[in-house]
Amino acid sequence: MLDNFPSPAATVVRTAKNRIFSAGLENPNQIAYSKEYVVNESVNFAADFTIQVDARGGSITALAEMDEKLVIFKENAIFYLTGDGPDSTGLNGQFTVTAVATDVGTVEPESVVLFPEGLMFKSRKGIWILTRGLQTEYIGAPVQVYNDLNITSAVVVPDLNQVRFTTSGGPSLVYDYYYK
């Protein structure tokens, strides 16, 4: 059993794969991950449970889970993590990080939202989708006049087939994923 350590300081935290993943402060291209969660025990980290992500694309800005993958957003790049990772002894598994062929990422972590078609997010170039097939698609042309507004939240309204974004400037942006 590996010794327990506290979580490193982070600006990005996400639960996935029965663990906590964090990134952001100590090394902008590194993800720390916890040991697997065990019921009735505290969440613990190990000193060596880190993953170095390629430096291209800037700092890690957001993490999201989609289809057994942890998606890693950077300012101008996207990566994804697969695998189960090591057990509490540090053995019997690993994680693999793979780049998505794209030049967009997210600068607004509050904009990342999972909906039936994949992950929707705002990049420096507007609103995009990372499909479940790990392709990026630009869908923001109809609302590009609002690209200068910061997105403060994103939610899915499944009964209406909508993704709704609130903005710092007041207007909300709505995407109907049934009618596209």
Short mmCIF file of all heavy atoms in Angstrom, two decimals, residues 31-63:
data_model
loop_
_atom_site.label_atom_id
_atom_site.label_comp_id
_atom_site.label_asym_id
_atom_site.label_seq_id
_atom_site.Cartn_x
_atom_site.Cartn_y
_atom_site.Cartn_z
N ILE A 31 -1.56 16.41 -14.11
CA ILE A 31 -2.79 16.01 -13.41
C ILE A 31 -2.38 15.08 -12.27
O ILE A 31 -1.60 14.15 -12.47
CB ILE A 31 -3.75 15.27 -14.36
CG1 ILE A 31 -4.23 16.21 -15.46
CG2 ILE A 31 -4.92 14.68 -13.60
CD1 ILE A 31 -5.05 15.53 -16.53
N ALA A 32 -2.89 15.37 -11.09
CA ALA A 32 -2.74 14.46 -9.95
C ALA A 32 -4.04 13.68 -9.82
O ALA A 32 -5.11 14.21 -10.11
CB ALA A 32 -2.45 15.25 -8.69
N TYR A 33 -3.94 12.43 -9.42
CA TYR A 33 -5.17 11.65 -9.24
C TYR A 33 -5.09 10.87 -7.94
O TYR A 33 -4.01 10.50 -7.47
CB TYR A 33 -5.44 10.73 -10.43
CG TYR A 33 -4.33 9.76 -10.77
CD1 TYR A 33 -4.33 8.48 -10.23
CD2 TYR A 33 -3.30 10.12 -11.63
CE1 TYR A 33 -3.33 7.57 -10.54
CE2 TYR A 33 -2.29 9.24 -11.94
CZ TYR A 33 -2.31 7.98 -11.40
OH TYR A 33 -1.31 7.09 -11.71
N SER A 34 -6.25 10.64 -7.37
CA SER A 34 -6.33 9.94 -6.09
C SER A 34 -6.26 8.44 -6.28
O SER A 34 -6.39 7.92 -7.40
CB SER A 34 -7.63 10.30 -5.38
OG SER A 34 -8.73 9.70 -6.05
N LYS A 35 -6.10 7.77 -5.16
CA LYS A 35 -6.30 6.32 -5.16
C LYS A 35 -7.79 6.10 -5.40
O LYS A 35 -8.59 7.03 -5.23
CB LYS A 35 -5.90 5.74 -3.81
CG LYS A 35 -4.42 5.91 -3.49
CD LYS A 35 -4.11 5.39 -2.10
CE LYS A 35 -2.67 5.62 -1.73
NZ LYS A 35 -2.38 5.15 -0.34
N GLU A 36 -8.18 4.90 -5.77
CA GLU A 36 -9.60 4.63 -5.98
C GLU A 36 -10.36 4.82 -4.68
O GLU A 36 -9.87 4.48 -3.59
CB GLU A 36 -9.81 3.21 -6.50
CG GLU A 36 -9.35 3.04 -7.94
CD GLU A 36 -9.70 1.68 -8.48
OE1 GLU A 36 -8.98 0.72 -8.15
OE2 GLU A 36 -10.70 1.58 -9.21
N TYR A 37 -11.56 5.36 -4.81
CA TYR A 37 -12.40 5.61 -3.65
C TYR A 37 -12.87 4.30 -3.04
O TYR A 37 -13.29 3.39 -3.76
CB TYR A 37 -13.60 6.47 -4.04
CG TYR A 37 -14.60 6.64 -2.91
CD1 TYR A 37 -14.30 7.42 -1.81
CD2 TYR A 37 -15.82 5.97 -2.95
CE1 TYR A 37 -15.21 7.56 -0.77
CE2 TYR A 37 -16.73 6.11 -1.91
CZ TYR A 37 -16.42 6.90 -0.83
OH TYR A 37 -17.31 7.03 0.20
N VAL A 38 -12.82 4.20 -1.73
CA VAL A 38 -13.31 3.05 -0.99
C VAL A 38 -14.38 3.57 -0.03
O VAL A 38 -14.14 4.54 0.70
CB VAL A 38 -12.18 2.35 -0.20
CG1 VAL A 38 -12.72 1.20 0.63
CG2 VAL A 38 -11.09 1.87 -1.15
N VAL A 39 -15.55 2.95 -0.02
CA VAL A 39 -16.66 3.37 0.83
C VAL A 39 -16.21 3.44 2.29
O VAL A 39 -15.48 2.57 2.77
CB VAL A 39 -17.86 2.40 0.67
CG1 VAL A 39 -18.99 2.78 1.62
CG2 VAL A 39 -18.34 2.41 -0.77
N ASN A 40 -16.63 4.50 2.97
CA ASN A 40 -16.34 4.74 4.39
C ASN A 40 -14.87 5.05 4.67
O ASN A 40 -14.43 4.92 5.81
CB ASN A 40 -16.82 3.58 5.27
CG ASN A 40 -18.32 3.41 5.22
OD1 ASN A 40 -19.06 4.39 5.13
ND2 ASN A 40 -18.77 2.17 5.26
N GLU A 41 -14.12 5.43 3.65
CA GLU A 41 -12.74 5.87 3.84
C GLU A 41 -12.57 7.23 3.19
O GLU A 41 -13.29 7.59 2.26
CB GLU A 41 -11.74 4.89 3.21
CG GLU A 41 -11.65 3.58 3.95
CD GLU A 41 -10.54 2.69 3.41
OE1 GLU A 41 -9.61 3.21 2.74
OE2 GLU A 41 -10.59 1.48 3.66
N SER A 42 -11.60 7.99 3.67
CA SER A 42 -11.34 9.29 3.06
C SER A 42 -10.65 9.08 1.71
O SER A 42 -10.06 8.04 1.45
CB SER A 42 -10.46 10.14 3.97
OG SER A 42 -9.20 9.53 4.14
N VAL A 43 -10.75 10.08 0.87
CA VAL A 43 -10.07 10.03 -0.42
C VAL A 43 -8.59 10.33 -0.17
O VAL A 43 -8.25 11.28 0.53
CB VAL A 43 -10.66 11.06 -1.40
CG1 VAL A 43 -9.88 11.08 -2.70
CG2 VAL A 43 -12.13 10.75 -1.65
N ASN A 44 -7.72 9.52 -0.73
CA ASN A 44 -6.28 9.68 -0.51
C ASN A 44 -5.53 9.75 -1.83
O ASN A 44 -5.90 9.11 -2.81
CB ASN A 44 -5.75 8.49 0.30
CG ASN A 44 -6.33 8.46 1.68
OD1 ASN A 44 -6.13 9.39 2.46
ND2 ASN A 44 -7.06 7.41 2.01
N PHE A 45 -4.48 10.54 -1.81
CA PHE A 45 -3.60 10.67 -2.96
C PHE A 45 -2.28 9.99 -2.62
O PHE A 45 -1.95 9.79 -1.46
CB PHE A 45 -3.36 12.15 -3.28
CG PHE A 45 -4.53 12.82 -3.94
CD1 PHE A 45 -5.66 13.15 -3.21
CD2 PHE A 45 -4.51 13.11 -5.30
CE1 PHE A 45 -6.75 13.76 -3.82
CE2 PHE A 45 -5.59 13.72 -5.91
CZ PHE A 45 -6.71 14.04 -5.16
N ALA A 46 -1.52 9.65 -3.64
CA ALA A 46 -0.17 9.10 -3.47
C ALA A 46 0.79 10.04 -4.18
O ALA A 46 0.45 10.66 -5.19
CB ALA A 46 -0.09 7.70 -4.06
N ALA A 47 1.99 10.16 -3.67
CA ALA A 47 2.97 11.11 -4.21
C ALA A 47 3.23 10.90 -5.70
O ALA A 47 3.41 11.86 -6.45
CB ALA A 47 4.27 11.02 -3.43
N ASP A 48 3.24 9.65 -6.13
CA ASP A 48 3.58 9.36 -7.53
C ASP A 48 2.39 9.26 -8.46
O ASP A 48 2.55 8.96 -9.64
CB ASP A 48 4.38 8.05 -7.60
CG ASP A 48 5.73 8.18 -6.93
OD1 ASP A 48 6.26 9.29 -6.86
OD2 ASP A 48 6.25 7.14 -6.46
N PHE A 49 1.18 9.51 -7.97
CA PHE A 49 -0.01 9.40 -8.82
C PHE A 49 -0.22 10.72 -9.57
O PHE A 49 -1.10 11.51 -9.26
CB PHE A 49 -1.23 9.04 -7.99
CG PHE A 49 -1.36 7.56 -7.68
CD1 PHE A 49 -0.31 6.68 -7.88
CD2 PHE A 49 -2.55 7.06 -7.20
CE1 PHE A 49 -0.43 5.32 -7.59
CE2 PHE A 49 -2.69 5.70 -6.92
CZ PHE A 49 -1.62 4.84 -7.11
N THR A 50 0.62 10.93 -10.58
CA THR A 50 0.52 12.11 -11.44
C THR A 50 0.71 11.70 -12.89
O THR A 50 1.31 10.66 -13.18
CB THR A 50 1.58 13.18 -11.08
OG1 THR A 50 2.88 12.62 -11.27
CG2 THR A 50 1.41 13.69 -9.66
N ILE A 51 0.18 12.53 -13.77
CA ILE A 51 0.30 12.31 -15.21
C ILE A 51 0.75 13.62 -15.82
O ILE A 51 0.14 14.67 -15.59
CB ILE A 51 -1.05 11.92 -15.82
CG1 ILE A 51 -1.59 10.66 -15.17
CG2 ILE A 51 -0.96 11.77 -17.34
CD1 ILE A 51 -3.07 10.46 -15.40
N GLN A 52 1.80 13.57 -16.60
CA GLN A 52 2.28 14.75 -17.30
C GLN A 52 1.59 14.80 -18.67
O GLN A 52 1.62 13.82 -19.41
CB GLN A 52 3.80 14.71 -17.47
CG GLN A 52 4.41 16.00 -17.90
CD GLN A 52 4.29 17.11 -16.87
OE1 GLN A 52 4.24 16.87 -15.68
NE2 GLN A 52 4.22 18.33 -17.34
N VAL A 53 0.95 15.92 -18.98
CA VAL A 53 0.26 16.10 -20.26
C VAL A 53 1.14 16.97 -21.14
O VAL A 53 1.77 17.92 -20.66
CB VAL A 53 -1.13 16.76 -20.04
CG1 VAL A 53 -1.85 16.95 -21.37
CG2 VAL A 53 -1.97 15.91 -19.10
N ASP A 54 1.19 16.67 -22.42
CA ASP A 54 1.96 17.44 -23.41
C ASP A 54 1.74 18.94 -23.18
O ASP A 54 0.62 19.38 -22.95
CB ASP A 54 1.48 17.05 -24.80
CG ASP A 54 2.34 17.59 -25.92
OD1 ASP A 54 2.69 18.78 -25.89
OD2 ASP A 54 2.65 16.82 -26.84
N ALA A 55 2.79 19.72 -23.26
CA ALA A 55 2.72 21.16 -22.98
C ALA A 55 2.01 21.96 -24.08
O ALA A 55 1.59 23.10 -23.82
CB ALA A 55 4.13 21.71 -22.78
N ARG A 56 1.84 21.38 -25.26
CA ARG A 56 1.21 22.17 -26.33
C ARG A 56 -0.23 22.52 -25.96
O ARG A 56 -0.92 21.76 -25.29
CB ARG A 56 1.28 21.46 -27.67
CG ARG A 56 0.33 20.31 -27.80
CD ARG A 56 0.53 19.60 -29.11
NE ARG A 56 0.60 18.18 -28.78
CZ ARG A 56 0.15 17.24 -29.54
NH1 ARG A 56 -0.35 17.51 -30.71
NH2 ARG A 56 0.22 15.99 -29.16
N GLY A 57 -0.64 23.67 -26.38
CA GLY A 57 -2.02 24.11 -26.15
C GLY A 57 -2.23 24.92 -24.90
O GLY A 57 -3.35 25.29 -24.59
N GLY A 58 -1.17 25.19 -24.14
CA GLY A 58 -1.31 26.00 -22.94
C GLY A 58 -1.58 25.17 -21.70
O GLY A 58 -1.34 23.97 -21.67
N SER A 59 -2.09 25.83 -20.68
CA SER A 59 -2.36 25.19 -19.39
C SER A 59 -3.65 24.38 -19.43
O SER A 59 -4.55 24.67 -20.22
CB SER A 59 -2.51 26.26 -18.31
OG SER A 59 -1.33 27.00 -18.19
N ILE A 60 -3.77 23.42 -18.53
CA ILE A 60 -5.01 22.68 -18.36
C ILE A 60 -6.05 23.63 -17.78
O ILE A 60 -5.79 24.31 -16.78
CB ILE A 60 -4.81 21.45 -17.45
CG1 ILE A 60 -3.83 20.47 -18.11
CG2 ILE A 60 -6.15 20.78 -17.15
CD1 ILE A 60 -3.38 19.34 -17.20
N THR A 61 -7.21 23.71 -18.43
CA THR A 61 -8.25 24.64 -18.00
C THR A 61 -9.51 23.97 -17.50
O THR A 61 -10.29 24.57 -16.76
CB THR A 61 -8.64 25.59 -19.15
OG1 THR A 61 -9.07 24.80 -20.26
CG2 THR A 61 -7.47 26.47 -19.56
N ALA A 62 -9.76 22.72 -17.91
CA ALA A 62 -10.98 22.02 -17.50
C ALA A 62 -10.81 20.52 -17.68
O ALA A 62 -10.01 20.08 -18.51
CB ALA A 62 -12.19 22.51 -18.30
N LEU A 63 -11.59 19.77 -16.92
CA LEU A 63 -11.66 18.31 -17.03
C LEU A 63 -13.12 17.93 -17.11
O LEU A 63 -13.96 18.54 -16.45
CB LEU A 63 -11.03 17.64 -15.81
CG LEU A 63 -9.56 17.95 -15.51
CD1 LEU A 63 -9.17 17.40 -14.14
CD2 LEU A 63 -8.66 17.39 -16.59
#
